[in-house]
Amino acid sequence: MKDTYLKKILETTRISVSERKKISPLSKLESRSVDVESTRGFKNSLIKSVEKNNIAVIAEMKKASPSLGLIRKEYEPEELAQHYAKANAACLSVLTDEPFFQGSIEHLTSVRKSVDLPLLRKDFIIDEYQVYESRFQGADCILLIAAALTQNQLKDYYQLAIELKLDVLVEVHTYDEVEKALSINANLIGINNRNLKTFEVDLETTKHLTQYIPQEVLVVSESGIKTREDVQKICSYGVSIFLVGEAFMKADNPGSELKNIFFN
């Protein structure tokens, strides 16, 4: 992904958020967010899975991506969620970006009704509106991408999420972004092995960056994990939590593929 492409995604997201604000103002979401049901404990579910299985998988539902286009034609979020739950996923990641990933915020709501697993809202969050929206629509955790936010934005949205009882996965790609995440006391950091500038994937990114993250912080390895050998490699770096989507989405049976890669 080129810098200009990331810029385009963020610009498109700003326009989309602006339109949603007109339909359902922030004040309305703030009042609604008070009455929603309790969150399910995303981070705690990861910890429990690691304690039980020595590994934890955040299984992702992703219909398409900017680099690959359509990944899965037969895309039924509720059905996929149930397959993942039966295959021992600790948590689920639901793509809600529509223009670039063909996701939907409604997918989050419907998946929440179909399984008991904690849910990550996977999107480009660039406005406090989306934090309230995530809570109201059924997320248990949100993704904050360090590369997409200023230091102040990252801090403010992180604090707001915590106030709303949401867990936060802060995504990093470079040493500077790790520093950015640690400065706000992030306790769940995702290392994306995909370079946002070149879109190339290098699992060594996890090896390189995890050494700068304190042991008490949970680390998630994201992107490029496709085989048991990849899993073993990441585990050798001292990381035992994985976020995987593409490898599952390309398989005939995503749940079986999860088991094959992680639990067989």
Side-chain angles (χ1 to χ4, degrees), residues 86-88 248 254-264:
K86 289 174 185 174
N88 219 11
F248 302 154
S256 294
E257 190 66 9
L258 192 162
K259 279 187 175 178
N260 288 339
I261 295 175
F262 288 94
F263 296 110
N264 279 354

Side-chain angles (χ1 to χ4, degrees), residues 219-234:
V219 176
V220 181
S221 186
E222 311 171 17
S223 297
I225 298 136
K226 299 176 180 178
T227 65
R228 292 184 207 177
E229 288 72 28
D230 292 338
V231 173
Q232 289 164 358
K233 183 182 283 189
I234 297 296

Side-chain angles (χ1 to χ4, degrees), residues 40 59 61 75-82 84-85 91-95 104-120 137-138 140:
R40 296 172 175 174
M61 282 168 275
Y75 186 78
E76 297 292 339
E78 300 95 331
E79 190 178 315
L80 285 170
Q82 288 165 10
Y84 281 154
C91 300
L92 303 181
S93 169
V94 184
L95 258 297
S104 167
I105 192 73
E106 282 75 27
H107 292 167
L108 196 66
T109 312
S110 60
V111 166
R112 187 174 184 85
K113 292 174 183 174
S114 67
V115 293
D116 295 325
L117 294 178
L119 308 179
L120 166 71
Q137 296 286 1
D140 303 289

